[in-house]
Amino acid sequence: MIRIPYQEGKVEFSGKRCHVGVDVHKLTYYTSILSEDGRYVQFSSPSNPHALISQIREMGVEIIALTHETGPTGYELAWHCQEVGIPVVVAATTKIPRQITRDGKTDRLDSLKLAEYLSKGMLRAVAIPSRSEHALREL
């Protein structure tokens, strides 16, 4: 797949079917939206699942699926996606393909790789616990 960055005014992104990769942190989300034709757009936003999904929907894209890695930030984004009917894959961090060298590791690249791996079916998902199951685990 050839990845082509989205350029404002040159490519119409609305109406495209897309895979979404999110690099989740405590304070921010770094998001890559990858269309089926290889074009992508990236942006950073505060870590708010409701705002992120609203922002993506305002772009007019059809979300095929959204993914993020497991980690200390929990499942809030995954739960919100499930509640609004967006297919979500929480990828096992240890099972994500990695390059041999770690030179180019940034939030921007991580989110784009997640979207790309999701589009190719290369991610191994973990089971997403319900909110009540998660609460029991926290006890």
Side-chain angles (χ1 to χ4, degrees):
M1 171 186 298
I2 298 172
R3 295 187 311 239
I4 305 164
Y6 169 74
Q7 296 176 356
E8 195 70 44
K10 293 191 177 183
V11 178
E12 180 60 38
F13 220 71
S14 180
K16 296 197 182 267
R17 292 173 38 88
C18 300
H19 290 90
V20 179
V22 184
D23 193 27
V24 177
H25 297 283
K26 183 178 180 179
L27 300 176
T28 60
Y29 291 158
Y30 203 94
T31 306
S32 292
I33 302 173
L34 178 66
S35 70
E36 291 179 315
D37 63 3
R39 299 184 190 280
Y40 66 92
V41 64
Q42 296 179 305
F43 57 90
S44 181
S45 63
S47 61
N48 180 331
H50 304 282
L52 176 66
I53 299 304
S54 295
Q55 188 173 3
I56 294 171
R57 287 192 166 156
E58 285 175 9
M59 294 175 69
V61 300
E62 179 187 340
I63 302 171
I64 298 170
L66 181 142
T67 188
H68 68 84
E69 295 181 52
T70 56
T73 56
Y75 297 97
E76 282 298 324
L77 179 57
W79 290 330
H80 182 68
C81 288
Q82 288 176 334
E83 290 165 3
V84 297
I86 296 172
V88 63
V89 173
V90 177
T93 305
T94 58
K95 303 296 182 186
I96 295 173
R98 299 283 182 200
Q99 295 177 354
I100 294 172
T101 61
R102 302 283 281 180
D103 296 339
K105 182 161 175 24
T106 65
D107 295 345
R108 181 182 66 80
L109 291 174
D110 284 352
S111 67
L112 186 56
K113 283 292 185 187
L114 283 170
E116 186 176 353
Y117 293 155
L118 178 64
S119 71
K120 295 178 179 178
M122 296 173 61
L123 297 178
R124 184 175 299 177
V126 298
I128 301 170
S130 68
R131 290 182 189 270
S132 59
E133 290 171 336
H134 186 68
L136 287 173
R137 287 181 187 175
E138 294 293 312
L139 285 176

